[in-house]
Amino acid sequence: MYNFNEKPDRISEKCRKWDKKIIEENFGEVPQDFIPMWIADMDFKVPKEIEESFCEVVSRGVFGYTYCYDEFYKAVIDWQYSMHQAKVEKEWITLSYGTVSTIHYIIQSFCKSGDYVIMNTPVYDPFDAAASRQGVNRIYNTLAIKDGRYYIDFENLKNQLMEFKPKLYLFCSPHNPSGRVWSIEELAKVSRICKENGTILVVDEVHAEHIHYENFTSILNIKDYKDNIILLTSPNKAFNLGGLKTSYSIIANEKIRNIFRDKLKQNSITSPNVFGIIGLITAYNEGRIWIKEVSSYVKGNYELLEGYIKNNIPKLKIMKMEASYLAWVDIRDTKMSSEDITNYLSSKAGVLVESGTHFVKDGEGYIRINLGTQRENVLEALKRIDKALNIK
Ligand SMILES: Cc1ncc(COP(=O)(O)O)c(C=O)c1O
């Protein structure tokens, strides 16, 4: 059993989540005893096997250029199969330097200035930024809310694809910020509509390893449309390895894959980082138990949050966190805007959450709370939020 109650030294590490200077650039002045629950970064030590594999690399004392050796492909193939029952061929896999930068390269590969991409909103902000930075237009398919859960408006989606013929559909599965897990039927429908309209479906599955409710289906299992899909993922969210800046794509269609690889070549995205590749291999080969335990711990944090809010802070309403470690909270009953409540909680309670407005469109009225931390921090944050909101 791993001890996720143990607090690692996150100050010496100089991580963005805990660095007071960076925090104050984002939130203004905060009290000394702040609790950061914003950026998607977890406060848990990685499995000891990863630490040991890094120590081994360090002990060699040489850090020359490396390459994608067979163990990398095998680790990805085995992981995708054992975790998601997805059969992947070695040829389909391409290493890259982080999912967000890969989204940029994907857009550069398939869109020219003035083209369109589509995404469901609200969604992870870099989806939009990556397109706007290339002069690419965005179409927003606003998610509908029914009984406190997001749904895709398929009628509108179909019309938007027919009218604008977007080159790409940037799809987040499971969804960030809400943690919504899409059903196999929804994924099949999305895939079919894309294929019928000549839109490549780009699926970001970085949150697929922490599933708490519902069944997750990998887009690779929607087999009829496999030739129209680009899957992007990494162990970065799952194992908190974001600082390694290593990720990969899975593209079955050779033509699509080669267009993308040419773009990577143009930018000299070739050999991996020596720690990045070993981190990924070790996480995937030896991290199964850790993932199971960390997911269970995070689910415990979510249950604490859900129960506490229901019983004590009725002004807040949570969307069920079906996946990830990020809880999406409806704050509209507080009559404050997302920015105001975020600023209020950071300055008065020292609790740093993400304003819903930091996501692409439709995030007003929400905040996102990062539960990838020690339970003690979650409880303390809840008490402080409770006190701050109940005196207002
Ligand atoms: C949906 C989604 N994609 C990508 C990323 C970042 O991935 P990477 O660190 O591999 O760039 C995040 C981080 O929060 C995310 O939520």
Side-chain angles (χ1 to χ4, degrees):
M1 286 283 280
Y2 290 93
N3 179 11
F4 297 108
N5 287 322
E6 189 190 316
K7 294 187 176 179
D9 172 8
R10 299 227 62 188
I11 303 301
S12 313
E13 184 202 329
K14 297 208 184 308
C15 66
R16 277 157 66 190
K17 186 183 185 186
W18 283 86
D19 188 293
K20 195 157 188 278
K21 186 165 167 282
I22 295 211
I23 286 170
E24 292 191 332
E25 278 165 17
N26 283 278
F27 292 87
E29 206 179 321
V30 295
Q32 276 303 332
D33 60 350
F34 62 84
I35 304 175
M37 304 178 99
W38 59 304
I39 189 168
D41 180 324
M42 297 193 291
D43 299 324
F44 306 125
K45 278 189 121 176
V46 293
K48 62 179 181 330
E49 289 83 357
I50 297 184
E51 218 179 297
E52 284 163 9
S53 67
F54 289 158
C55 288
E56 203 184 311
V57 175
V58 169
S59 72
R60 287 189 214 121
V62 188
F63 309 98
Y65 298 115
T66 185
Y67 63 99
C68 285
Y69 34 91
D70 280 348
E71 289 90 330
F72 162 71
Y73 295 104
K74 187 170 178 332
V76 170
I77 291 167
D78 290 351
W79 179 265
Q80 288 296 336
Y81 186 69
S82 60
M83 283 296 281
H84 306 306
Q85 300 74 54
K87 286 190 186 147
V88 175
E89 292 178 21
K90 181 181 170 188
E91 289 314 308
W92 304 354
I93 305 166
T94 308
L95 172 118
S96 48
Y97 300 165
T99 313
V100 169
S101 53
T102 311
I103 295 171
H104 286 69
Y105 293 124
I106 294 279
I107 291 171
Q108 290 169 15
S109 304
F110 299 98
C111 304
K112 46 185 195 319
S113 176
D115 282 344
Y116 290 92
V117 299
I118 188 165
M119 63 197 79
N120 305 104
T121 55
V123 79
Y124 184 52
D125 188 59
F127 281 28
D128 195 69
S132 76
R133 285 171 186 156
Q134 325 301 323
V136 168
N137 297 315
R138 284 86 68 209
I139 310 292
Y140 304 118
N141 180 271
T142 300
L143 291 167
I145 302 177
K146 219 170 20 179
D147 300 327
R149 191 172 191 234
Y150 279 129
Y151 288 87
I152 297 167
D153 180 345
F154 282 104
E155 207 41 49
N156 189 27
L157 183 66
K158 229 185 286 178
N159 292 336
Q160 289 172 314
L161 260 63
M162 278 183 339
E163 182 179 351
F164 296 99
K165 294 284 173 207
K167 293 284 191 289
L168 306 170
Y169 182 173
L170 306 177
F171 188 71
C172 198
S173 173
H175 178 246
N176 177 11
S178 71
R180 167 73 147 86
V181 173
W182 307 108
S183 70
I184 189 164
E185 291 79 17
E186 288 169 318
L187 294 172
K189 226 164 159 178
V190 162
S191 309
R192 181 171 50 74
I193 298 173
C194 281
K195 180 74 181 172
E196 284 170 358
N197 288 281
T199 300
I200 298 172
L201 179 57
V202 182
V203 184
D204 175 333
E205 289 188 0
V206 302
H207 291 286
E209 325 303 356
H210 301 296
I211 306 293
H212 313 298
Y213 304 97
E214 307 296 323
N215 290 318
F216 171 77
T217 303
S218 165
I219 199 69
L220 298 171
N221 287 330
I222 310 297
K223 295 199 179 65
D224 289 351
Y225 303 101
K226 204 170 64 194
D227 69 338
N228 193 44
I229 283 162
I230 296 176
L231 168 63
L232 306 179
T233 193
S234 75
N236 296 349
K237 293 296 115 182
F239 290 91
N240 215 49
L241 298 175
L244 295 177
K245 296 284 177 190
T246 299
S247 64
Y248 61 96
S249 59
I250 298 178
I251 309 174
N253 181 313
E254 190 181 356
K255 193 168 156 220
I256 295 179
R257 195 168 64 232
N258 286 340
I259 293 172
F260 170 58
R261 284 185 178 170
D262 283 349
K263 182 54 67 182
L264 293 185
K265 228 179 273 167
Q266 257 180 27
N267 289 283
S268 192
I269 309 296
T270 51
S271 58
N273 175 290
V274 282
F275 291 97
I277 190 164
I278 205 73
L280 182 147
I281 293 170
T282 315
Y284 278 2
N285 288 347
E286 301 178 55
R288 279 298 285 271
I289 294 173
W290 189 91
I291 277 288
K292 207 165 156 238
E293 290 187 13
V294 85
S295 289
S296 156
Y297 187 86
V298 164
K299 187 177 180 185
N301 283 352
Y302 171 73
E303 286 166 349
L304 169 65
L305 177 92
E306 188 186 53
Y308 192 103
I309 286 183
K310 229 178 234 169
N311 293 329
N312 304 289
I313 325 177
K315 283 181 204 161
L316 303 183
K317 310 241 167 344
I318 316 179
M319 246 187 215
K320 193 119 197 148
M321 190 181 80
E322 297 168 359
S324 83
Y325 51 87
L326 307 162
W328 191 233
V329 181
D330 181 343
I331 52 105
R332 286 172 295 179
D333 286 352
T334 64
K335 311 281 181 239
M336 295 169 90
S337 71
S338 296
E339 284 287 335
D340 284 350
I341 195 167
T342 301
N343 293 335
Y344 178 72
L345 291 178
S346 63
S347 61
K348 291 283 180 302
V351 178
L352 316 177
V353 300
E354 202 74 54
S355 165
T357 53
H358 294 172
F359 299 87
V360 186
K361 235 177 123 276
D362 304 312
E364 180 54 80
Y366 290 82
I367 53 172
R368 194 191 69 178
I369 302 182
N370 178 347
L371 300 176
T373 191
Q374 283 64 46
R375 190 141 314 149
E376 187 187 326
N377 291 338
V378 177
L379 184 58
E380 175 62 20
L382 282 165
K383 286 182 186 163
R384 292 196 205 171
I385 293 172
D386 185 2
K387 191 167 164 209
L389 292 183
N390 286 331
I391 53 165
K392 248 199 97 62

